[in-house]
Amino acid sequence: MDLVDLIDEKRFVGQEFLTWLWFKSEERGGTIFLPEAGEDIQLVFEKHMMLEYGEGENREKLICRGLMTELQEARTGLAMGKKLEQARMLLTRGEYEWNLSFKATLMEFRNVKPPKTMGSAEEGNDPEAVEGRLLEHVSLHEMVVRTVDQLFRMFLDLRIGSGWAQELTRMQAWVHKAKA
């Protein structure tokens, strides 16, 4: 099996993860507890989602844009069997806030807007200041990646564990509640 076939066969994992994240973010009003870190984060899905349906060459995309209330169309798409492939989200951890898009198939970050920091407000071109800003930027990028990794680990523990059937039932009720 070549890499492209493998990616296509396993794409459901990222799509289920992204759908689960959306469900978890709405379950407690945008708050998700990270047991590994012992803290809450905020995760809000924003005005842009892309869903896919179909197989192979017949795969089609549905783009839903608008305010949060207008993401009703995306939830209706889920109820119709479409798969969440990409979403724009706002992630807050501690005092830091990132805007990013997440593409499910390859679990890739897109358009990551890092938090504003004290270092980014500095105007100096002093080499030490530039190095400090660069290191801070790298650290913030590592933090958002680590946060999504922790969320993915939570999802995988649940997905391969005995609690998945119950979680799936709750997710299905959440999706169908959207249609009502």
Side-chain angles (χ1 to χ4, degrees):
M1 177 179 288
D2 70 358
L3 181 60
V4 174
D5 291 335
L6 185 61
I7 289 169
D8 197 51
E9 181 182 312
K10 306 297 183 197
R11 71 184 307 124
F12 76 93
V13 176
Q15 292 170 334
E16 284 183 4
F17 171 58
L18 192 53
T19 303
W20 176 79
L21 273 182
W22 187 15
F23 164 70
K24 293 308 271 185
S25 76
E26 289 196 358
E27 188 177 47
R28 292 181 50 215
T31 301
I32 301 175
F33 181 72
L34 288 177
E36 196 173 305
E39 66 180 339
D40 284 330
I41 63 162
Q42 293 291 316
L43 185 65
V44 178
F45 280 69
E46 296 186 318
K47 45 191 164 172
H48 183 274
M49 290 187 175
M50 183 176 69
L51 291 91
E52 286 187 346
Y53 56 99
E55 295 295 324
E57 292 180 18
N58 297 324
R59 188 172 290 133
E60 296 193 24
K61 296 175 183 355
L62 169 69
I63 296 175
C64 302
R65 292 185 181 148
L67 301 173
M68 280 186 54
T69 55
E70 294 177 26
L71 291 178
Q72 188 72 24
E73 183 180 356
R75 284 175 57 170
T76 301
L78 288 178
M80 295 171 60
K82 294 174 176 67
K83 308 294 184 197
L84 186 55
E85 176 56 30
Q86 184 173 321
R88 184 96 185 128
M89 54 185 97
L90 173 69
L91 189 148
T92 306
R93 184 168 185 176
E95 61 190 50
Y96 301 112
E97 183 176 283
W98 295 264
N99 285 293
L100 61 110
S101 290
F102 189 79
K103 188 159 174 57
T105 299
L106 296 175
M107 308 273 295
E108 66 182 301
F109 296 87
R110 294 184 167 187
N111 305 319
V112 178
K113 182 180 174 193
K116 294 210 183 294
T117 61
M118 293 297 286
S120 58
E122 293 176 12
E123 296 293 326
N125 285 331
D126 172 34
E128 289 179 6
V130 171
E131 181 181 3
R133 286 193 303 269
L134 179 62
L135 290 174
E136 182 178 46
H137 186 76
V138 169
S139 173
L140 290 170
H141 185 73
E142 286 177 346
M143 183 185 285
V144 73
V145 169
R146 193 170 39 253
T147 301
V148 174
D149 284 350
Q150 289 171 345
L151 290 165
F152 188 59
R153 194 170 301 112
M154 283 174 56
F155 168 74
L156 285 180
D157 287 346
L158 185 61
R159 181 66 174 87
I160 63 174
S162 61
W164 180 245
Q166 181 181 8
E167 186 83 345
L168 188 56
T169 301
R170 291 176 39 228
M171 287 174 64
Q172 289 168 337
W174 166 76
V175 166
H176 292 292
K177 182 179 80 171
K179 288 182 10 180

